[in-house]
Amino acid sequence: MVSEHSAAPDGETAPLALKILVAGGFGVGKTTLVGAVSEIRPLRTEEVLSQAGRLVDDTQGVDQKVTTTVAMDFGRITIQSDLLLYLFGTPGQDRFWFLWDELAQGALGAVILADTRRLEDCFPAVDYFEHRQIPFVVAVNRFAGARVHGAHDVSRALDLDEGTPVVVCDARDRASAKDVLIQLVEYAGRMHTARLLASVG
């Protein structure tokens, strides 16, 4: 889940590296978020969305989308000098869900991006992470024309466990996306501490 601090060659402590997943439905902004915050050129596995793919994938609400992730996105961001996050964006279509098990191995937690116009697209990701007890936050991505809903309403609509954070973000904005990641790290830290205490209590 988490790589330990290790000694750097000069004797200093190397940064702690955490693995974070960015998940959600098709066309919700996963690639955009990873690209917005990554301090390295993000790795993308996008292919042009073919006519055959449009027959399989539900493009309602994202009919302007011309590419799709077929494996993963990858980026890196330094939160503090001693804390790095490695970001893995998952593919959104159900035919690529078999990749999620590989990507989820060792993950500290996940960001589930949501579009309130297609909130039902979040259910598979919510179910996946709840079933595997991987901490997650739901980040409502702002889209033009989408109705504004409060965090409580989104939480109820998704039937989230009490305490699961719901935040609003703009996946295109680095500061906004970084704030989501910080909230996830803090929440996952609290969850892992509580589980540790419960296991020895």
Side-chain angles (χ1 to χ4, degrees):
M1 173 181 57
V2 179
S3 63
E4 300 293 335
H5 282 286
S6 58
D10 58 4
E12 295 182 2
T13 302
L16 178 67
L18 305 176
K19 180 180 182 181
I20 301 295
L21 299 187
V22 180
F26 178 58
V28 80
K30 301 179 294 294
T31 298
T32 300
L33 185 143
V34 172
V37 297
S38 182
E39 60 200 15
I40 62 173
R41 182 177 180 181
L43 168 67
R44 293 178 173 156
T45 57
E46 290 195 306
E47 294 293 339
V48 174
L49 190 59
S50 66
Q51 188 59 39
R54 289 182 183 277
L55 297 175
V56 177
D57 300 320
D58 181 6
T59 58
Q60 185 175 359
V62 288
D63 38 343
Q64 300 302 313
K65 187 172 173 61
V66 296
T67 61
T68 185
T69 299
V70 296
M72 69 173 185
D73 300 309
F74 175 77
R76 185 192 72 203
I77 180 174
T78 302
I79 298 295
Q80 299 172 347
S81 60
D82 60 348
L83 178 60
L84 298 176
L85 300 185
Y86 290 104
L87 308 177
F88 293 81
T90 65
Q93 302 97 309
D94 54 7
R95 69 180 187 274
F96 295 126
W97 284 348
F98 68 92
L99 294 169
W100 285 33
D101 287 338
E102 292 294 328
L103 294 175
Q105 289 187 23
L108 174 77
V111 172
I112 299 178
L113 274 174
D115 179 351
T116 55
R117 300 168 301 177
R118 299 177 291 125
L119 201 56
E120 66 279 1
D121 291 355
C122 292
F123 282 116
V126 169
D127 290 344
Y128 182 90
F129 296 119
E130 282 185 346
H131 181 70
R132 287 159 181 79
Q133 296 188 318
I134 297 174
F136 65 90
V137 301
V138 173
V140 178
N141 193 10
R142 296 191 186 103
F143 284 93
R147 287 182 57 190
V148 177
H149 296 275
H152 180 68
D153 292 335
V154 173
S155 180
R156 280 180 44 191
L158 293 175
D159 194 25
L160 299 178
D161 291 339
E162 185 176 355
T164 301
V166 176
V167 298
V168 177
C169 75
D170 183 340
R172 302 166 298 179
D173 181 75
R174 188 174 195 273
S176 180
K178 182 177 179 180
D179 183 59
V180 171
L181 297 173
I182 291 171
Q183 291 194 54
L184 170 63
V185 171
E186 292 173 346
Y187 174 65
R190 294 194 301 270
M191 291 292 291
H192 286 292
T193 299
R195 290 172 185 169
L196 181 61
L197 292 174
S199 69
V200 298

